[in-house]
Amino acid sequence: MYLYSFAKTVVFGILKPIYRFEVIGAENFPKEGGILLCSNHIDNLDPPVVGINAPRPVNFMAKEELFNLPILKSILPGVRAFPVKRGMSDRDALRRAIKLLKDGEVVGLFPEGTRSKDGQLGKGFSGAGFFALRGEANVVPCAIIGPYKPFKRLKVVYGDVIDMQPYRERKASAEEVTEVIMAHIAELLEQYKTK
């Protein structure tokens, strides 16, 4: 936890003057309980930007290869990153994410799976819905409104909590829940892009 707080302070201190963050809706973030934080994905800096501006510590999956690099393999676990094998179903990573959510933690996810090349919101993979349903967590949608240009304002918008209980009760599919999540992100992008 100490390393996470230290890294958050350092990274915030470096990025804040460059990108002039405007954080909207931080008050929407529940103070406790498992939360799946789902954001659009427009840049490699999205994970740290979402993480340093969130009111609670955020756990992110990171590609397994990063954990093989000498310096990063000691730092990443301390900043709440955990490995995932890309291009295949990684049961260990899935179990880890679900356990974190059930333990009342925040897990960050980019449902599109990869960065958008044109800045437009793409289709979300059903993994977002799967984690939301199986992790017994609610969802906080997030919109990053760029572009990432030095000394230009970058908005990070946290939307209202999406209560997953009604979807669990009627046994909604992961695909349906993902569509709901993506619709909330799209709404935030539309609502705040010109404000």
Side-chain angles (χ1 to χ4, degrees), residues 96-116:
R96 175 84 179 269
I98 289 169
K99 183 177 186 320
L100 285 165
L101 291 169
K102 287 183 174 180
D103 287 348
E105 301 270 353
V106 179
V107 173
L109 195 67
F110 299 97
E112 295 161 282
T114 188
R115 281 174 293 127
S116 168

Side-chain angles (χ1 to χ4, degrees), residues 37-43 46 86 108-129 142-144 178 181-183 185-186 189:
L37 176 59
C38 292
S39 176
N40 62 318
H41 198 5
I42 58 172
D43 194 276
D46 291 343
R86 301 215 301 177
L109 195 67
F110 299 97
E112 295 161 282
T114 188
R115 281 174 293 127
S116 168
K117 291 181 172 58
D118 59 5
Q120 299 300 307
L121 186 66
K123 181 174 172 54
F125 286 98
S126 61
C142 175
I144 303 169
T178 298
I181 293 169
M182 298 309 287
I185 296 172
L189 289 167

Side-chain angles (χ1 to χ4, degrees), residues 29-181:
F29 223 96
K31 292 183 170 53
E32 55 187 28
I35 291 295
L36 186 66
L37 176 59
C38 292
S39 176
N40 62 318
H41 198 5
I42 58 172
D43 194 276
N44 283 332
L45 285 173
D46 291 343
V49 164
V50 170
I52 62 176
N53 287 294
R56 289 171 57 190
V58 183
N59 300 273
F60 280 105
M61 294 183 194
K63 58 184 180 181
E64 189 180 45
E65 300 81 40
L66 295 176
F67 289 81
N68 297 324
L69 300 174
I71 297 174
L72 287 181
K73 72 178 178 185
S74 346
I75 293 174
L76 288 172
V79 294
R80 294 177 175 256
F82 59 98
V84 61
K85 296 182 180 77
R86 301 215 301 177
M88 63 185 77
S89 177
D90 184 342
R91 291 180 183 278
D92 288 340
L94 295 177
R95 279 194 287 265
R96 175 84 179 269
I98 289 169
K99 183 177 186 320
L100 285 165
L101 291 169
K102 287 183 174 180
D103 287 348
E105 301 270 353
V106 179
V107 173
L109 195 67
F110 299 97
E112 295 161 282
T114 188
R115 281 174 293 127
S116 168
K117 291 181 172 58
D118 59 5
Q120 299 300 307
L121 186 66
K123 181 174 172 54
F125 286 98
S126 61
F130 172 81
F131 285 127
L133 293 167
R134 293 287 297 276
E136 298 172 12
N138 289 325
V139 174
V140 172
C142 175
I144 303 169
I145 302 172
Y148 281 79
K149 287 190 177 171
F151 314 113
K152 298 284 186 185
R153 186 171 57 170
L154 183 75
K155 294 179 188 172
V156 182
V157 185
Y158 299 106
D160 293 328
V161 174
I162 308 170
D163 181 3
M164 287 290 111
Q165 193 55 35
Y167 297 97
R168 284 189 204 100
E169 286 174 358
R170 63 180 177 80
K171 297 185 172 19
S173 68
E175 290 78 9
E176 180 190 345
V177 170
T178 298
E179 285 179 14
V180 169
I181 293 169

Side-chain angles (χ1 to χ4, degrees), residues 9-22:
T9 302
V10 170
V11 173
F12 187 86
I14 293 168
L15 296 182
K16 169 72 173 172
I18 299 173
Y19 296 113
R20 297 177 54 210
F21 303 128
E22 179 185 357

